[in-house]
């Protein structure tokens, strides 16, 4: 476990054409399985489980969920029973994420997408608590107050670079961003890159969790590449280019979209000259295998840079 995670400056040549400094918060190095904001959002939830002597954790996610994989792994380490409410019907060939979660001991309960939409409603949660009376329930993605508390530490760990101007993060929910904005200084701003297609619902979630911070963040909604876990060839090309420049891998579901967005906006002149920008690597590399299987491509091939035919 690497905590605090490293804060590294990216090669000067990447920021020099735009007269900015680019830094990266390497939350991908926290742990090979529970890396990134998944560790942040589970940290205080698991402490609460221990404090109150729960022996069972229940949470929610999809077939490729980093949160599901991380929760399953941690529960195995702490000898806790673990149940995952999984969105969608069970596939004939399960994803690498779910396979690893099952091997870690998670009991995967598949529900229809329509039922899954009720995951945050009081009635549905009460029914689950009745069915699993000994379970500590963690919402999808760890999006509760304890999860947000953990995400505050992404910013506090950047104290050695107190004069940064912007910090960016990929967003599936508003929880990570809600934690980050709480620790920003008056001159600093956070930018969330929404990875799901749709209206700017992330802003509402951030404001629900962290009221009165609306001037501390903005959401970019144009970089979803078709929707969650979808892509266009230019995204993969960018990820390969970034890896060639830095030897740092990104994932195509979250971090690839965030980093693409930042470099696109650098070209568009969004960031003032002289800015110091921190890009948050939220981990999620475990999802690459399932993504490659789904689309029949290699993101980081050893000898070539093309799609499989």
């Amino acid at each position: 476990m690497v905590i605090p995670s490293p804060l590294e400056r990216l090669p000067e040549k990447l920021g020099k054409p735009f007269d900015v400094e680019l830094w990266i918060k390497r939350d991908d190095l926290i742990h090979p399985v529970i890396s990134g904001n998944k560790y942040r959002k589970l940290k205080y939830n698991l402490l609460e489980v221990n404090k109150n002597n729960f022996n069972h954790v229940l949470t929610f996610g999809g077939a490729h969920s980093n949160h599901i994989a991380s929760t399953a792994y941690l529960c195995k380490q702490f000898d806790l029973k673990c149940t995952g409410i999984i969105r969608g019907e069970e596939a004939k060939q399960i994803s690498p994420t779910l396979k690893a979660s099952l091997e870690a001991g998670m009991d995967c309960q598949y529900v229809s997408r329509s039922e899954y939409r009720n995951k945050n409603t009081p009635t549905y949660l009460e029914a689950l608590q009745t069915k699993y009376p000994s379970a500590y329930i963690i919402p999808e993605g760890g999006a509760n107050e304890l999860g947000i508390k953990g995400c505050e530490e992404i910013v506090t760990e950047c104290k050695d670079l107190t004069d940064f101007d912007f910090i960016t993060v990929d967003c599936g929910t508003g929880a990570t961003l809600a934690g980050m904005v709480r620790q920003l200084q008056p001159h600093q701003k956070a930018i969330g890159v929404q990875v799901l297609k749709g209206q700017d619902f992330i802003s509402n979630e951030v404001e629900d969790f962290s009221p009165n911070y609306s001037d501390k963040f903005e959401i970019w909604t144009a970089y979803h590449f078709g929707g969650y876990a979808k892509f266009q060839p230019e995204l993969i090309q960018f990820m390969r280019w970034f890896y060639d420049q830095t030897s740092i891998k990104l994932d195509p579901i979250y971090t690839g979209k965030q980093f693409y967005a930042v470099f696109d906006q650098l070209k568009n002149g969004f960031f003032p000259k002289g800015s110091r920008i921190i890009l948050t690597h939220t981990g999620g590399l475990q999802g690459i295998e399932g993504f490659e299987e789904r689309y029949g491509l290699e993101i980081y091939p050893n000898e070539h840079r093309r799609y499989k035919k």
Side-chain angles (χ1 to χ4, degrees):
M1 188 75 71
V2 181
I3 288 292
S5 63
L7 179 64
E8 302 175 358
R9 186 170 179 180
L10 289 173
E12 186 176 355
K13 63 182 179 180
L14 298 185
K16 189 173 182 180
F18 313 104
D19 194 18
V20 299
E21 285 185 20
L22 297 174
W23 295 74
I24 180 170
K25 181 63 170 157
R26 295 294 306 273
D27 270 17
D28 57 309
L29 299 180
I30 291 175
H31 188 275
V33 178
I34 49 169
S35 63
N37 57 349
K38 305 312 173 190
Y39 163 80
R40 307 284 185 185
K41 290 190 278 188
L42 287 169
K43 175 183 175 180
Y44 289 104
N45 275 292
L46 267 293
L47 289 174
E48 190 73 8
V49 168
N50 182 63
K51 176 183 175 182
N52 292 283
N53 296 313
F54 285 95
N55 61 11
H56 184 187
V57 171
L58 181 148
T59 195
F60 308 80
H64 303 280
S65 167
N66 296 317
H67 172 71
I68 286 290
S70 297
T71 303
Y73 179 88
L74 276 171
C75 286
K76 180 180 181 181
Q77 301 309 303
F78 289 100
D79 196 25
L80 296 168
K81 183 179 179 181
C82 187
T83 298
I85 306 299
I86 309 300
R87 181 182 63 248
E89 304 299 328
E90 182 176 4
K92 292 182 179 179
Q93 183 174 350
I94 64 173
S95 69
T97 297
L98 290 184
K99 182 179 179 181
S101 299
L102 288 166
E103 290 173 352
M106 175 177 275
D107 174 26
C108 292
Q109 297 292 319
Y110 301 88
V111 301
S112 68
R113 293 178 182 275
S114 59
E115 179 179 339
Y116 191 84
R117 295 189 193 101
N118 297 321
K119 64 185 181 297
N120 294 323
T121 63
T123 301
Y124 189 71
L125 291 173
E126 287 170 9
L128 280 177
Q129 198 71 78
T130 300
K131 184 177 180 179
Y132 302 100
S134 65
Y136 177 87
I137 298 177
I138 301 176
E140 182 181 41
N144 60 9
E145 184 59 35
L146 292 173
I148 292 164
K149 178 181 177 181
C151 292
E152 292 183 39
E153 296 174 358
I154 296 172
V155 175
T156 58
E157 289 178 12
C158 296
K159 59 182 178 296
D160 293 336
L161 198 68
T162 54
D163 56 343
F164 73 84
D165 302 288
F166 298 92
I167 187 165
T168 68
V169 68
D170 41 84
C171 296
T173 68
T176 302
L177 188 59
M180 294 170 70
V181 299
R182 295 179 182 181
Q183 296 298 327
L184 293 177
Q185 299 300 312
H187 67 286
Q188 296 169 336
K189 190 169 189 177
I191 295 170
V193 178
Q194 185 172 304
V195 302
L196 293 84
K197 186 177 181 180
Q199 300 298 317
D200 181 11
F201 62 90
I202 299 291
S203 289
N204 293 332
E205 291 192 7
V206 176
E207 291 174 4
D208 286 344
F209 286 126
S210 298
N212 306 317
Y213 288 90
S214 59
D215 61 330
K216 302 303 298 178
F217 74 93
E218 67 179 79
I219 308 295
W220 293 346
T221 60
Y223 295 98
H224 53 74
F225 289 90
Y228 182 74
K230 296 184 179 180
F231 77 103
Q232 297 295 329
E234 56 264 33
L235 174 64
I236 306 301
Q237 292 163 8
F238 167 81
M239 292 168 61
R240 292 170 177 165
W241 170 82
F242 187 81
Y243 179 68
D244 287 341
Q245 300 298 314
T246 66
S247 298
I248 297 173
K249 289 184 178 181
L250 306 173
D251 83 285
I253 300 174
Y254 290 98
T255 54
K257 294 179 179 181
Q258 176 203 163
F259 282 53
Y260 181 101
V262 170
F263 278 85
D264 189 52
Q265 289 297 329
L266 282 168
K267 296 174 185 176
N268 293 338
F270 173 86
F271 297 100
K273 293 184 182 301
S275 295
R276 281 186 167 181
I277 305 159
I278 300 175
L279 296 87
T280 307
H281 195 314
T282 57
L285 300 181
Q286 68 84 26
I288 291 177
E289 182 182 356
F291 185 91
E292 290 180 328
E293 285 187 4
R294 178 178 180 181
Y295 291 108
L297 59 84
E298 290 177 285
I299 296 176
Y300 301 107
N302 293 326
E303 298 178 358
H304 53 84
R305 294 288 186 269
R306 62 178 176 81
Y307 293 102
K308 290 180 179 178
K309 294 185 177 180

